[in-house]
Amino acid sequence: MIDITPFETTINNLKKAGKYRVFNDILRENGQFPYALWYGEYGVKTIVNWCSNDYLGMGQNKIVLDAMRTALDKTGAGAGGTRNISGTTHYHIILEHELASLHKKPAALLYSSAYVANEWTIIALSKIIPNIHFISDQKNHNSIIVGISYSRKPKTIFQNNNLKELEQIFQTVKANNEIPCIIFESVYSMDGDVSRIQEICDLADKYQAITYIDEVHAVGLYGKEGAGKLEELGLQDRVDIVNGTLGKAFGVQGGYIATDATVIDAIRSIAAGFIFTTSLSPITCAGAFSAIKYLRKNPELREKHQERATLLKNKLKAAGVNIMPSTTHIVPVLIGNAEKAKSISDQLLTDYGIYVQAINYPTVAIGTERLRFAPTPYHTNQMIDDLVDALTDLL
Ligand SMILES: Cc1ncc(COP(=O)(O)O)c(C=O)c1O
């Protein structure tokens, strides 16, 4: 029988450190986004969701839902196997072609999430290239940190966007006859800032480094067709491996990489987290495929998204709210204290019907605790005004 003592100790330690997570029980109602229901302790209440990563509301988009219903009727629920054993359906193949085309790469590979895609692509790279040396931006996502750590290969972390430090690291790695692989994100999702992509690519070229970018918070949202920041900046041919998600702007679930066809062929043969798991449901693939196709042709949601984010930032600034210097759609409000962030988040939910999760350590550094707002094209002027008024009351 399991002894629960170490589990209790773990929970108590987390509580003492202010790291214990409380999951709010909400129910998204189709057609009502960003409204949702909140199942609170004393009843059910309608709330406005201000922290969903369904950035464009594609999770309730009719085109996406119709495609998913059609796939459900045509093919049934699940994939029925791993990719190797009967789980590669036509839905997976056409989605991978679409992703490759979106990112202007010869091939793409689906994973069950972008987390798994980061973790297992990095581990696979370490098996394929024995003398690889990972160079990782300090603000990189946990999936990248864990992938590098499990690879057991040499790694060096550089300060966010610090090109001087990055160049010194490249020099040391090259002097050791190792192969540098620089891993960074395009949009850092907790701050909403953008990395110095072009300069990083220039340095990577100078030192013949492999380049790997996480565009999870940019795909669907930036660039003419929604391929991300690389597309927006005209840099799609400068980065070797692109990681993206189907679970945020594309509104569904799953992750992928897009890169050279031979690289994909080797990685799909090596990455255990890709091989030994049931592949994505064809229904999910059908939804993601439609979302991507739609967003490639229709920039209106992207434009409205940016307009809403700018309006929210301007209104918060005018009201004297301390927003962090985001240059993207993400609107972080600095609170600077874990208990205070949690308490404001709780008050917003219970008293104002506004749902924004407090972001505390270890997701962000101690002292930089914040509320992270994610406006969408569907947040109205009234919702924005209500939020600004509520924050003005509470801060
Ligand atoms: C930067 C970054 N990369 C990867 C992921 C993982 O994405 P997914 O939700 O598809 O696993 C996240 C998730 O929030 C993320 O923020």
Side-chain angles (χ1 to χ4, degrees), residues 227-380:
K229 277 285 167 189
L230 289 180
E231 186 192 23
E232 186 187 67
L233 301 169
L235 298 172
Q236 280 183 293
D237 58 343
R238 300 289 308 278
V239 172
D240 296 311
I241 303 176
V242 179
N243 167 291
T245 186
L246 305 172
K248 299 190 196 300
F250 296 131
V252 193
Q253 190 164 23
Y256 62 90
I257 54 164
T259 183
D260 174 87
T262 308
V263 174
I264 293 279
D265 202 14
I267 288 175
R268 79 176 179 92
S269 312
I270 295 276
F274 167 80
I275 299 170
F276 298 105
T277 186
T278 300
S279 62
L280 285 175
S281 160
I283 300 157
T284 304
C285 295
F289 180 81
S290 301
I292 296 164
K293 276 259 182 229
Y294 178 82
L295 290 173
R296 286 185 83 172
K297 292 232 168 68
N298 299 280
E300 297 80 12
L301 281 177
R302 266 192 294 288
E303 287 160 8
K304 182 85 177 165
H305 183 224
Q306 292 299 319
E307 183 270 322
R308 295 283 90 185
T310 306
L311 182 68
L312 175 63
K313 284 182 197 169
N314 288 343
K315 291 211 166 189
L316 286 172
K317 259 185 224 155
V321 173
N322 190 3
I323 59 172
M324 299 171 76
S326 156
T327 55
T328 62
H329 57 282
I330 293 157
V331 185
V333 169
L334 185 68
I335 305 296
N337 171 290
E339 274 106 59
K340 194 170 168 200
K342 167 90 175 70
S343 138
I344 294 173
S345 157
D346 287 346
Q347 274 174 281
L348 282 170
L349 189 58
T350 45
D351 301 344
Y352 297 86
I354 288 171
Y355 176 36
V356 63
Q357 196 72 36
I359 311 285
N360 290 340
Y361 179 83
T363 308
V364 295
I366 288 170
T368 71
E369 293 83 358
R370 66 199 70 174
L371 303 174
R372 174 192 179 274
F373 295 95
T376 73
Y378 299 101
H379 284 88
T380 62

Side-chain angles (χ1 to χ4, degrees), residues 53 113-115 118 141 143 185 189 214 216-217 243 245 247-248 254:
N53 281 336
S113 71
Y115 190 104
N118 271 337
H141 187 254
S143 50
E185 299 180 17
S189 72
D214 175 320
V216 159
H217 292 275
N243 167 291
T245 186
K248 299 190 196 300

Side-chain angles (χ1 to χ4, degrees), residues 189-204:
S189 72
M190 291 301 145
D191 294 340
D193 59 334
V194 178
S195 58
R196 296 164 73 176
I197 305 176
Q198 169 131 28
E199 290 150 291
I200 291 175
C201 290
D202 290 346
L203 273 184

